Amino acid sequence: MRQSNPRCGERALETVKPRALKKGDTIGVVAPAGAIQDDQLMAGVDALLQAGFKVELSDRIRERKGYLAGEKEKRAKSVEEFFRRGDIQAVFCARGGFGSVQLLPLLDPEAIRLHPKPFVGYSDVTVLLNWLLQRCGLVTFHGPMVSMEIARGLEGRTADFFWNTLM
């Protein structure tokens, strides 16, 4: 049964906190918004590998439709698929841009809620962060993206805070 967004006086969904990441876990990388540049994506993947994680890219991550990372239906399927899969322990976004809002009516909140895991992104992805909290009750993480900050290298207190929060 799908719950509606709580209004004043209605009961909110119980918040679901994902389990902490640990070294050796697999991070799934999706592109829910803008198209990625392969060199930046691979630099981010290398950084995640060096941090001690396995990485799996969405099958559709390199698709393009104009400035978007492919058709909205395929982007939504990639996000939902990585939540459903038991061998993926976290979902990180490759980048923001525009297009995340198109995914909202295509995602199944009940299916996602059954498989809580850390979801990380910001910028245009913020709409997904908020939707996952409001519709699924999931704790989400406003944080660096794979093809952006992670690709450029997280350092010092930023890296410590980010990884300590997720782990």
Side-chain angles (χ1 to χ4, degrees):
M1 173 198 317
R2 294 183 183 200
Q3 286 192 326
S4 62
N5 289 331
R7 294 186 188 94
C8 185
E10 289 184 1
R11 189 168 161 233
L13 284 174
E14 180 181 333
T15 302
V16 179
K17 183 178 175 186
R19 81 163 181 81
L21 281 181
K22 53 186 190 270
K23 300 277 183 168
D25 280 350
T26 301
I27 296 172
V29 181
V30 296
I36 57 100
Q37 292 183 0
D38 200 55
D39 58 333
Q40 292 174 336
L41 175 65
M42 295 317 296
V45 168
D46 288 342
L48 292 173
L49 293 170
Q50 289 176 12
F53 298 96
K54 297 174 190 162
V55 179
E56 183 167 338
L57 301 176
S58 161
D59 290 342
R60 302 166 193 92
I61 200 162
R62 290 180 174 90
E63 290 186 10
R64 286 185 166 278
K65 182 179 180 190
Y67 55 84
L68 296 171
E71 298 284 340
K72 63 185 175 186
E73 294 82 6
K74 291 179 181 179
R75 289 182 282 130
K77 185 175 180 181
S78 293
V79 170
E80 194 170 303
E81 176 184 318
F82 274 6
F83 270 101
R84 289 176 184 262
R85 286 182 45 190
D87 61 332
I88 303 283
Q89 286 76 41
V91 181
F92 283 22
C93 295
R95 61 159 294 171
F98 173 79
S100 293
V101 72
Q102 299 172 333
L103 279 54
L104 303 184
L106 303 172
L107 296 171
D108 180 350
E110 293 303 318
I112 291 171
R113 183 176 171 77
L114 293 174
H115 308 280
K117 50 192 71 173
F119 184 84
V120 180
Y122 74 96
S123 185
D124 181 67
V125 173
T126 302
V127 72
L128 285 173
L129 299 175
N130 290 328
W131 185 89
L132 288 166
L133 175 62
Q134 291 176 347
R135 295 297 307 273
C136 305
L138 298 184
V139 171
T140 57
F141 300 89
H142 190 269
M145 291 195 267
V146 177
S147 293
M148 308 301 285
E149 296 78 18
I150 294 174
R152 292 191 291 268
L154 301 178
E155 297 178 352
R157 288 181 14 182
T158 300
D160 291 344
F161 183 78
F162 178 65
W163 291 117
N164 288 336
T165 298
L166 294 176
M167 296 173 69

